[in-house]
Amino acid sequence: MSAPPQDTRLGASIAEVLFSAEAIASKVSQMGAALAAHYEGKRPLVVGILNGCFPFIADLVRAMDIELEVDFMSVSSYGAGTKSTGVVRFIKDLEEPIEGRHVLLVEDIIDTGLTLRYLTEALYTRKPASIEVCALLDKQQARTQNIEVQWRGFVCPDAFVVGYGLDYAGRYRNLPYVGVLDPSVYTKG
Ligand code: PRP
């Protein structure tokens, strides 16, 4: 953990840096190498769950020196902005069938686990050879679902984190590190 760069425009809204750009780069490189060894010869379909996955999946696949394909899905919760039902709507589905394919779902963060539980249940009906989950951050304390996470970068404290894809009201996804948002940002009238 280190102090945020307060002299940057976005850094001024960050209370503390949890995972620096350097720590993330090192972790992603290790994960990519391990995934490449695991999936060698299987030509996995690496599926990013939009929107928050974009920096992570971009770095991760470049750290995987094997043949693979990349696709994206976008899902949205049903209901009045609550994830409590765990029912999600597919905004963007996969481009191709996944029957017989090895699928790796890539998430920036797992919180309750509802999104992934629903997604994996829906995708298993398409008869893939395997589905595994890779998340940069795992907020284990917030978990309500019993889901398996085969590949995790960091265990994340139950704090309001932003950066490296994670947003607050659509902002801060472009921070190069993961930090805790300063409460003054969301308590402002
Ligand atoms: C985040 C994250 C996961 C989900 C995890 O996405 O990217 O998809 O929440 O939460 P859960 O484990 O409680 O289901 P979000 O809905 O914030 O959308 P975004 O990726 O566009 O920011």
Side-chain angles (χ1 to χ4, degrees):
M1 206 175 287
S2 60
Q6 295 289 352
D7 58 342
T8 67
R9 287 186 183 87
L10 291 177
S13 302
I14 303 303
E16 68 176 305
V17 176
L18 286 179
F19 307 108
S20 68
E22 294 74 21
I24 292 170
S26 164
K27 181 68 76 177
V28 173
S29 162
Q30 285 168 26
M31 293 175 89
L35 282 162
H38 179 70
Y39 283 113
E40 187 166 12
K42 293 183 175 169
R43 197 167 46 86
L45 181 65
V46 183
V47 175
I49 312 304
L50 294 168
N51 290 329
C53 72
F54 73 90
F56 180 42
I57 193 171
D59 289 341
L60 187 70
V61 293
R62 285 179 294 174
M64 294 172 68
D65 184 23
I66 56 166
E67 279 195 18
L68 54 76
E69 291 172 39
V70 179
D71 202 349
F72 294 92
M73 295 185 84
S74 180
V75 297
S76 167
S77 311
Y78 273 117
T82 172
K83 290 182 176 176
S84 58
T85 60
V87 178
V88 298
R89 182 163 59 102
F90 285 28
I91 306 287
K92 183 210 172 298
D93 203 340
L94 297 171
E95 298 295 326
E96 304 285 341
I98 56 169
E99 186 167 352
R101 299 293 305 270
H102 292 279
V103 176
L104 178 67
L105 298 178
V106 176
E107 274 282 25
D108 50 345
I109 190 164
I110 303 175
D111 204 318
T112 62
L114 279 166
T115 305
L116 272 175
R117 199 195 80 192
Y118 180 83
L119 261 178
T120 48
E121 281 174 5
L123 292 179
Y124 267 124
T125 66
R126 303 179 190 181
K127 302 183 172 35
S130 68
I131 299 180
E132 295 193 2
V133 172
C134 177
L136 180 71
L137 304 176
D138 188 354
K139 246 189 200 182
Q140 290 178 334
Q141 283 172 280
R143 190 81 87 257
T144 61
Q145 308 301 307
N146 187 19
I147 54 160
E148 218 181 316
V149 183
Q150 289 84 0
W151 308 89
R152 94 168 36 79
F154 303 100
V155 172
C156 181
D158 200 6
F160 202 143
V161 290
V162 294
Y164 198 70
L166 293 150
D167 74 309
Y168 165 64
R171 291 141 55 198
Y172 304 103
R173 292 193 199 271
N174 55 321
L175 266 179
Y177 54 84
V178 173
V180 179
L181 192 62
D182 193 298
S184 66
V185 175
Y186 49 86
T187 52
K188 268 181 208 162

